[in-house]
Amino acid sequence: MGADHDHGGDHHHPGLAEDLSLGEPARRLMAMEELLVEKGVIGADEVRRVMDVIAARSPVDGARVVARAWMDPAFKLRLLEDPRAALAELGYPVVSGSKLAVVENTENLHHLVVCTLCSCYPTSLLGPPPDWYKSFAYRSRAVVDPRGVMREFGLEVGEAVEVRVVDSAADLRYMVLPRRPEGTEGMAEEDLVALVTRDSLVGVGAPNQPAVNS
């Protein structure tokens, strides 16, 4: 099945993970949560419940959405125009208050997702973000040298292809709709799911290639 990348395991990339400390916005958020629990505005059980919902999600959920979009052009159009409604069709409600935008990679355009302030990520669909996504090195370098960062992940994007970096924020999260690999015509939807990697859902990687029968 091409390169050996699973949907969830962390990868280690030189220069991307040397700083995993929480940023100021994350520390501020934790302090606000503790204060709200202390004042009785929200309950600790409620916080844990939401966290459990997020933890139950994984990149496989995003992969199922991508595979459906590859198989169904009408669904793909709805996903790009109104992600929340399209996801609801598949039983994936966006539980956070933020909006979700789905951006499509094409032959001439490649998207790379980053959160330059902290670690904003579509957790209600993809699960918790990987450590490298939260690192200062990735957050700073993805903006100034996106091709170099993708190269460290093993992805080479041609110079003729426009690379567009999209910055996630608290009120707007991004997911990439990667290009469908060649040679997958006629494959079942579940087999397509297995080709979609977590890295491809944020643009630092590409889907796996289908296995070649000898």
Side-chain angles (χ1 to χ4, degrees), residues 129-159:
D131 286 342
W132 56 260
Y133 184 86
K134 297 179 286 185
S135 72
F136 175 76
Y138 176 76
R139 291 187 286 118
S140 57
R141 291 184 52 217
V143 176
V144 298
D145 184 23
R147 293 178 187 273
V149 168
M150 290 185 290
R151 197 172 296 117
E152 289 190 15
F153 282 80
L155 178 63
E156 190 74 40
V157 177
E159 291 299 325

mmCIF file of all heavy atoms in Angstrom, residues 129-159:
data_model
loop_
_atom_site.group_PDB
_atom_site.id
_atom_site.type_symbol
_atom_site.label_atom_id
_atom_site.label_comp_id
_atom_site.label_asym_id
_atom_site.label_seq_id
_atom_site.Cartn_x
_atom_site.Cartn_y
_atom_site.Cartn_z
ATOM 1 N N PRO A 129 -4.563 16.882 17.871
ATOM 2 C CA PRO A 129 -3.490 17.140 16.894
ATOM 3 C C PRO A 129 -2.207 16.427 17.296
ATOM 4 O O PRO A 129 -1.951 16.203 18.484
ATOM 5 C CB PRO A 129 -3.315 18.663 16.962
ATOM 6 C CG PRO A 129 -3.757 19.025 18.345
ATOM 7 C CD PRO A 129 -4.877 18.080 18.665
ATOM 8 N N PRO A 130 -1.373 16.059 16.332
ATOM 9 C CA PRO A 130 -0.076 15.454 16.647
ATOM 10 C C PRO A 130 0.848 16.471 17.306
ATOM 11 O O PRO A 130 0.669 17.684 17.157
ATOM 12 C CB PRO A 130 0.453 15.023 15.274
ATOM 13 C CG PRO A 130 -0.235 15.925 14.302
ATOM 14 C CD PRO A 130 -1.601 16.194 14.875
ATOM 15 N N ASP A 131 1.853 15.975 18.020
ATOM 16 C CA ASP A 131 2.759 16.867 18.742
ATOM 17 C C ASP A 131 3.472 17.841 17.820
ATOM 18 O O ASP A 131 3.658 19.012 18.161
ATOM 19 C CB ASP A 131 3.795 16.051 19.531
ATOM 20 C CG ASP A 131 3.192 15.395 20.762
ATOM 21 O OD1 ASP A 131 2.101 15.829 21.192
ATOM 22 O OD2 ASP A 131 3.802 14.449 21.281
ATOM 23 N N TRP A 132 3.888 17.371 16.644
ATOM 24 C CA TRP A 132 4.635 18.266 15.758
ATOM 25 C C TRP A 132 3.785 19.448 15.299
ATOM 26 O O TRP A 132 4.302 20.529 15.041
ATOM 27 C CB TRP A 132 5.205 17.511 14.551
ATOM 28 C CG TRP A 132 4.215 16.750 13.718
ATOM 29 C CD1 TRP A 132 3.969 15.413 13.757
ATOM 30 C CD2 TRP A 132 3.325 17.283 12.716
ATOM 31 N NE1 TRP A 132 2.982 15.071 12.841
ATOM 32 C CE2 TRP A 132 2.580 16.206 12.191
ATOM 33 C CE3 TRP A 132 3.113 18.564 12.210
ATOM 34 C CZ2 TRP A 132 1.617 16.373 11.191
ATOM 35 C CZ3 TRP A 132 2.155 18.744 11.213
ATOM 36 C CH2 TRP A 132 1.416 17.650 10.716
ATOM 37 N N TYR A 133 2.463 19.249 15.194
ATOM 38 C CA TYR A 133 1.579 20.342 14.762
ATOM 39 C C TYR A 133 1.569 21.466 15.792
ATOM 40 O O TYR A 133 1.384 22.637 15.452
ATOM 41 C CB TYR A 133 0.168 19.785 14.553
ATOM 42 C CG TYR A 133 -0.833 20.781 14.016
ATOM 43 C CD1 TYR A 133 -0.960 21.004 12.654
ATOM 44 C CD2 TYR A 133 -1.673 21.495 14.880
ATOM 45 C CE1 TYR A 133 -1.889 21.913 12.151
ATOM 46 C CE2 TYR A 133 -2.602 22.412 14.389
ATOM 47 C CZ TYR A 133 -2.698 22.610 13.026
ATOM 48 O OH TYR A 133 -3.620 23.514 12.537
ATOM 49 N N LYS A 134 1.769 21.111 17.064
ATOM 50 C CA LYS A 134 1.727 22.097 18.146
ATOM 51 C C LYS A 134 3.074 22.759 18.384
ATOM 52 O O LYS A 134 3.147 23.746 19.115
ATOM 53 C CB LYS A 134 1.259 21.418 19.434
ATOM 54 C CG LYS A 134 -0.145 20.853 19.354
ATOM 55 C CD LYS A 134 -0.552 20.160 20.638
ATOM 56 C CE LYS A 134 0.118 18.816 20.820
ATOM 57 N NZ LYS A 134 -0.375 18.108 22.017
ATOM 58 N N SER A 135 4.128 22.235 17.802
ATOM 59 C CA SER A 135 5.464 22.752 18.095
ATOM 60 C C SER A 135 5.673 24.138 17.486
ATOM 61 O O SER A 135 5.130 24.470 16.429
ATOM 62 C CB SER A 135 6.535 21.797 17.558
ATOM 63 O OG SER A 135 6.593 21.844 16.142
ATOM 64 N N PHE A 136 6.492 24.947 18.181
ATOM 65 C CA PHE A 136 6.803 26.290 17.679
ATOM 66 C C PHE A 136 7.522 26.206 16.337
ATOM 67 O O PHE A 136 7.322 27.039 15.450
ATOM 68 C CB PHE A 136 7.662 27.039 18.697
ATOM 69 C CG PHE A 136 8.118 28.379 18.210
ATOM 70 C CD1 PHE A 136 7.251 29.458 18.176
ATOM 71 C CD2 PHE A 136 9.415 28.559 17.761
ATOM 72 C CE1 PHE A 136 7.664 30.699 17.705
ATOM 73 C CE2 PHE A 136 9.845 29.786 17.286
ATOM 74 C CZ PHE A 136 8.966 30.867 17.269
ATOM 75 N N ALA A 137 8.378 25.195 16.184
ATOM 76 C CA ALA A 137 9.139 25.061 14.942
ATOM 77 C C ALA A 137 8.213 24.906 13.743
ATOM 78 O O ALA A 137 8.401 25.559 12.712
ATOM 79 C CB ALA A 137 10.089 23.868 15.040
ATOM 80 N N TYR A 138 7.214 24.030 13.865
ATOM 81 C CA TYR A 138 6.283 23.848 12.745
ATOM 82 C C TYR A 138 5.465 25.113 12.522
ATOM 83 O O TYR A 138 5.289 25.568 11.380
ATOM 84 C CB TYR A 138 5.349 22.662 13.009
ATOM 85 C CG TYR A 138 4.308 22.484 11.921
ATOM 86 C CD1 TYR A 138 4.663 21.930 10.696
ATOM 87 C CD2 TYR A 138 2.986 22.902 12.102
ATOM 88 C CE1 TYR A 138 3.724 21.785 9.678
ATOM 89 C CE2 TYR A 138 2.049 22.764 11.096
ATOM 90 C CZ TYR A 138 2.421 22.201 9.889
ATOM 91 O OH TYR A 138 1.494 22.073 8.884
ATOM 92 N N ARG A 139 4.962 25.709 13.597
ATOM 93 C CA ARG A 139 4.087 26.874 13.478
ATOM 94 C C ARG A 139 4.793 28.057 12.817
ATOM 95 O O ARG A 139 4.175 28.850 12.117
ATOM 96 C CB ARG A 139 3.563 27.269 14.862
ATOM 97 C CG ARG A 139 2.585 26.245 15.421
ATOM 98 C CD ARG A 139 1.930 26.709 16.712
ATOM 99 N NE ARG A 139 2.831 26.648 17.840
ATOM 100 C CZ ARG A 139 3.224 27.693 18.548
ATOM 101 N NH1 ARG A 139 2.813 28.919 18.204
ATOM 102 N NH2 ARG A 139 4.025 27.555 19.582
ATOM 103 N N SER A 140 6.086 28.168 13.052
ATOM 104 C CA SER A 140 6.821 29.291 12.461
ATOM 105 C C SER A 140 7.349 28.961 11.069
ATOM 106 O O SER A 140 7.261 29.780 10.152
ATOM 107 C CB SER A 140 7.982 29.692 13.374
ATOM 108 O OG SER A 140 8.859 28.600 13.614
ATOM 109 N N ARG A 141 7.847 27.766 10.860
ATOM 110 C CA ARG A 141 8.476 27.421 9.591
ATOM 111 C C ARG A 141 7.469 27.137 8.489
ATOM 112 O O ARG A 141 7.764 27.343 7.310
ATOM 113 C CB ARG A 141 9.402 26.217 9.772
ATOM 114 C CG ARG A 141 10.642 26.513 10.601
ATOM 115 C CD ARG A 141 11.552 25.314 10.649
ATOM 116 N NE ARG A 141 11.833 24.822 9.310
ATOM 117 C CZ ARG A 141 11.954 23.532 9.015
ATOM 118 N NH1 ARG A 141 11.812 22.613 9.936
ATOM 119 N NH2 ARG A 141 12.222 23.168 7.771
ATOM 120 N N ALA A 142 6.287 26.648 8.856
ATOM 121 C CA ALA A 142 5.286 26.334 7.822
ATOM 122 C C ALA A 142 4.902 27.563 7.029
ATOM 123 O O ALA A 142 4.551 27.466 5.848
ATOM 124 C CB ALA A 142 4.053 25.711 8.473
ATOM 125 N N VAL A 143 4.985 28.722 7.649
ATOM 126 C CA VAL A 143 4.601 29.959 6.973
ATOM 127 C C VAL A 143 5.710 30.466 6.053
ATOM 128 O O VAL A 143 5.453 30.891 4.925
ATOM 129 C CB VAL A 143 4.247 31.050 8.016
ATOM 130 C CG1 VAL A 143 3.949 32.374 7.325
ATOM 131 C CG2 VAL A 143 3.056 30.603 8.856
ATOM 132 N N VAL A 144 6.956 30.394 6.523
ATOM 133 C CA VAL A 144 8.059 30.986 5.759
ATOM 134 C C VAL A 144 8.693 30.001 4.779
ATOM 135 O O VAL A 144 9.287 30.401 3.781
ATOM 136 C CB VAL A 144 9.137 31.560 6.701
ATOM 137 C CG1 VAL A 144 8.554 32.671 7.547
ATOM 138 C CG2 VAL A 144 9.739 30.467 7.584
ATOM 139 N N ASP A 145 8.580 28.706 5.056
ATOM 140 C CA ASP A 145 9.206 27.702 4.182
ATOM 141 C C ASP A 145 8.321 26.460 4.072
ATOM 142 O O ASP A 145 8.716 25.365 4.474
ATOM 143 C CB ASP A 145 10.586 27.328 4.725
ATOM 144 C CG ASP A 145 11.343 26.364 3.808
ATOM 145 O OD1 ASP A 145 11.025 26.318 2.594
ATOM 146 O OD2 ASP A 145 12.243 25.653 4.299
ATOM 147 N N PRO A 146 7.109 26.611 3.539
ATOM 148 C CA PRO A 146 6.201 25.469 3.490
ATOM 149 C C PRO A 146 6.733 24.305 2.661
ATOM 150 O O PRO A 146 6.552 23.143 3.027
ATOM 151 C CB PRO A 146 4.918 26.046 2.890
ATOM 152 C CG PRO A 146 5.360 27.275 2.152
ATOM 153 C CD PRO A 146 6.500 27.819 2.947
ATOM 154 N N ARG A 147 7.401 24.593 1.564
ATOM 155 C CA ARG A 147 7.927 23.505 0.733
ATOM 156 C C ARG A 147 9.018 22.732 1.480
ATOM 157 O O ARG A 147 9.107 21.502 1.380
ATOM 158 C CB ARG A 147 8.474 24.056 -0.584
ATOM 159 C CG ARG A 147 7.407 24.639 -1.495
ATOM 160 C CD ARG A 147 8.009 25.215 -2.777
ATOM 161 N NE ARG A 147 7.027 25.913 -3.573
ATOM 162 C CZ ARG A 147 6.238 25.331 -4.469
ATOM 163 N NH1 ARG A 147 6.365 24.034 -4.703
ATOM 164 N NH2 ARG A 147 5.353 26.036 -5.150
ATOM 165 N N GLY A 148 9.855 23.462 2.231
ATOM 166 C CA GLY A 148 10.892 22.801 2.999
ATOM 167 C C GLY A 148 10.313 21.915 4.091
ATOM 168 O O GLY A 148 10.791 20.802 4.330
ATOM 169 N N VAL A 149 9.266 22.388 4.760
ATOM 170 C CA VAL A 149 8.616 21.590 5.792
ATOM 171 C C VAL A 149 8.004 20.335 5.186
ATOM 172 O O VAL A 149 8.186 19.218 5.698
ATOM 173 C CB VAL A 149 7.532 22.431 6.512
ATOM 174 C CG1 VAL A 149 6.658 21.538 7.385
ATOM 175 C CG2 VAL A 149 8.182 23.516 7.361
ATOM 176 N N MET A 150 7.288 20.484 4.085
ATOM 177 C CA MET A 150 6.675 19.321 3.449
ATOM 178 C C MET A 150 7.740 18.333 2.984
ATOM 179 O O MET A 150 7.545 17.111 3.053
ATOM 180 C CB MET A 150 5.788 19.758 2.284
ATOM 181 C CG MET A 150 4.523 20.470 2.728
ATOM 182 S SD MET A 150 3.385 20.855 1.374
ATOM 183 C CE MET A 150 4.284 22.142 0.502
ATOM 184 N N ARG A 151 8.876 18.859 2.557
ATOM 185 C CA ARG A 151 9.964 17.984 2.121
ATOM 186 C C ARG A 151 10.453 17.112 3.277
ATOM 187 O O ARG A 151 10.812 15.950 3.095
ATOM 188 C CB ARG A 151 11.094 18.827 1.546
ATOM 189 C CG ARG A 151 12.103 18.058 0.707
ATOM 190 C CD ARG A 151 13.084 18.992 0.024
ATOM 191 N NE ARG A 151 12.408 19.866 -0.939
ATOM 192 C CZ ARG A 151 12.355 21.192 -0.851
ATOM 193 N NH1 ARG A 151 12.947 21.832 0.155
ATOM 194 N NH2 ARG A 151 11.727 21.895 -1.772
ATOM 195 N N GLU A 152 10.476 17.666 4.484
ATOM 196 C CA GLU A 152 10.892 16.877 5.646
ATOM 197 C C GLU A 152 9.905 15.748 5.938
ATOM 198 O O GLU A 152 10.272 14.742 6.537
ATOM 199 C CB GLU A 152 11.036 17.779 6.871
ATOM 200 C CG GLU A 152 12.227 18.716 6.804
ATOM 201 C CD GLU A 152 12.485 19.413 8.130
ATOM 202 O OE1 GLU A 152 11.922 18.959 9.158
ATOM 203 O OE2 GLU A 152 13.246 20.393 8.142
ATOM 204 N N PHE A 153 8.671 15.924 5.551
ATOM 205 C CA PHE A 153 7.662 14.878 5.717
ATOM 206 C C PHE A 153 7.663 13.899 4.539
ATOM 207 O O PHE A 153 6.855 12.988 4.488
ATOM 208 C CB PHE A 153 6.277 15.493 5.862
ATOM 209 C CG PHE A 153 5.987 16.064 7.218
ATOM 210 C CD1 PHE A 153 6.468 17.312 7.575
ATOM 211 C CD2 PHE A 153 5.240 15.356 8.150
ATOM 212 C CE1 PHE A 153 6.202 17.858 8.819
ATOM 213 C CE2 PHE A 153 4.969 15.887 9.397
ATOM 214 C CZ PHE A 153 5.456 17.144 9.738
ATOM 215 N N GLY A 154 8.556 14.117 3.585
ATOM 216 C CA GLY A 154 8.642 13.226 2.432
ATOM 217 C C GLY A 154 7.778 13.618 1.260
ATOM 218 O O GLY A 154 7.592 12.821 0.332
ATOM 219 N N LEU A 155 7.237 14.849 1.274
ATOM 220 C CA LEU A 155 6.372 15.299 0.194
ATOM 221 C C LEU A 155 7.071 16.371 -0.623
ATOM 222 O O LEU A 155 7.440 17.426 -0.095
ATOM 223 C CB LEU A 155 5.060 15.852 0.753
ATOM 224 C CG LEU A 155 4.069 16.411 -0.278
ATOM 225 C CD1 LEU A 155 3.602 15.306 -1.220
ATOM 226 C CD2 LEU A 155 2.875 17.061 0.423
ATOM 227 N N GLU A 156 7.240 16.129 -1.897
ATOM 228 C CA GLU A 156 7.847 17.091 -2.808
ATOM 229 C C GLU A 156 6.755 17.672 -3.691
ATOM 230 O O GLU A 156 6.086 16.944 -4.423
ATOM 231 C CB GLU A 156 8.906 16.409 -3.668
ATOM 232 C CG GLU A 156 9.760 17.371 -4.463
ATOM 233 C CD GLU A 156 10.776 18.124 -3.613
ATOM 234 O OE1 GLU A 156 11.364 17.511 -2.709
ATOM 235 O OE2 GLU A 156 10.959 19.334 -3.864
ATOM 236 N N VAL A 157 6.552 18.983 -3.602
ATOM 237 C CA VAL A 157 5.540 19.658 -4.402
ATOM 238 C C VAL A 157 6.233 20.426 -5.515
ATOM 239 O O VAL A 157 7.148 21.212 -5.260
ATOM 240 C CB VAL A 157 4.696 20.619 -3.536
ATOM 241 C CG1 VAL A 157 3.692 21.376 -4.395
ATOM 242 C CG2 VAL A 157 3.975 19.853 -2.440
ATOM 243 N N GLY A 158 5.836 20.179 -6.749
ATOM 244 C CA GLY A 158 6.478 20.795 -7.903
ATOM 245 C C GLY A 158 6.431 22.316 -7.864
ATOM 246 O O GLY A 158 5.502 22.916 -7.319
ATOM 247 N N GLU A 159 7.442 22.935 -8.444
ATOM 248 C CA GLU A 159 7.527 24.395 -8.433
ATOM 249 C C GLU A 159 6.360 25.045 -9.185
ATOM 250 O O GLU A 159 6.011 26.192 -8.930
ATOM 251 C CB GLU A 159 8.856 24.841 -9.053
ATOM 252 C CG GLU A 159 10.076 24.510 -8.199
ATOM 253 C CD GLU A 159 10.030 25.188 -6.843
ATOM 254 O OE1 GLU A 159 9.527 26.327 -6.769
ATOM 255 O OE2 GLU A 159 10.473 24.580 -5.854
#
